[in-house]
Amino acid sequence: HDPAARLLVLLLDDRRFEVNPAAEPFGLVRPDELDLGRFELLAGMHAPAELEMVVRPAFLRHVLHRAGGPVVHVGVQDLVYSSLHRIFALLDERPVVLVPRLHAPVPRDHVRMTDAEIGKVGVFDQSLLGVAPGVAVDEFLRCWSDRLEYEPGDEIPLPTGRFLDFAPGLIAPTEIVS
């Protein structure tokens, strides 16, 4: 939708460096470029989808520093059907743009997600979000990343979108779009 947009892809599974960045139409970011202390340990502890969630805040910090401007994260499973211009425009005025998972209360019909299930995944979709450079955003992403790191003696951290739920209270003003 925006041919001028720069696309960076986090490549987590190319341990032998078989992917040639010069042959790709997008920029590549590899785990060794991220501020992660124990990537190999994290990779051994988490399934691929979980691993991507665990390294996401470190990836966002890296891309923010590399781009020097606002960044919109689009998850690998997401489909984009129109321009992301609105999110980028909001990032000119706000440090964070979030998309809620729910747009109306969920009835207790035993068919849809329960409150407990919603609580586990978080209120906001962590695969589609926008962040702009700034001290508050950088500190938030660092703190989020720290919560997902593993220290010996800790329980294995379960990657969820829950920490992102704190963003509106910790980074003002946060924009929530639907």
Side-chain angles (χ1 to χ4, degrees):
H1 299 287
D2 186 356
R6 188 166 170 223
L7 181 66
L8 294 174
V9 174
L10 177 59
L11 186 60
L12 294 174
D13 60 354
D14 185 33
R15 298 174 79 166
R16 295 182 186 165
F17 296 91
E18 295 170 343
V19 176
N20 177 5
E24 300 299 337
F26 44 78
L28 289 178
V29 176
R30 297 180 188 275
D32 61 328
E33 297 175 59
L34 305 180
D35 184 20
L36 292 170
R38 299 181 177 104
F39 176 74
E40 293 299 326
L41 178 64
L42 293 171
M45 292 178 1
H46 297 287
E50 288 179 344
L51 180 61
E52 193 277 328
M53 290 171 60
V54 168
V55 301
R56 184 173 298 148
F59 175 59
L60 285 169
R61 284 187 70 234
H62 173 79
V63 173
L64 270 173
H65 292 213
R66 185 168 163 176
V71 171
V72 175
H73 179 277
V74 179
V76 68
Q77 74 282 358
D78 294 335
L79 299 173
V80 178
Y81 292 106
S82 67
S83 172
L84 298 173
H85 176 74
R86 178 175 176 225
I87 295 175
F88 279 107
L90 288 168
L91 288 168
D92 287 338
E93 304 167 9
R94 306 275 197 245
V96 176
V97 176
L98 300 173
V99 178
R101 291 183 189 276
L102 303 172
H103 300 284
V106 178
R108 297 180 76 185
D109 58 7
H110 305 290
V111 175
R112 297 178 191 125
M113 291 181 74
T114 66
D115 292 345
E117 291 169 327
I118 294 166
K120 286 179 186 175
V121 297
V123 174
F124 300 106
D125 182 349
Q126 70 164 323
S127 70
L128 179 60
L129 68 141
V131 289
V135 173
V137 170
D138 189 65
E139 190 57 38
F140 179 80
L141 292 173
R142 182 186 310 277
C143 189
W144 182 15
S145 188
D146 287 348
R147 295 302 189 277
L148 296 171
E149 280 279 341
Y150 175 77
E151 293 291 332
D154 288 350
E155 289 185 31
I156 294 175
L158 296 175
T160 71
R162 295 296 312 272
F163 196 77
L164 196 56
D165 292 352
F166 296 117
L170 299 175
I171 307 169
T174 294
E175 184 73 27
I176 300 170
V177 299
S178 54

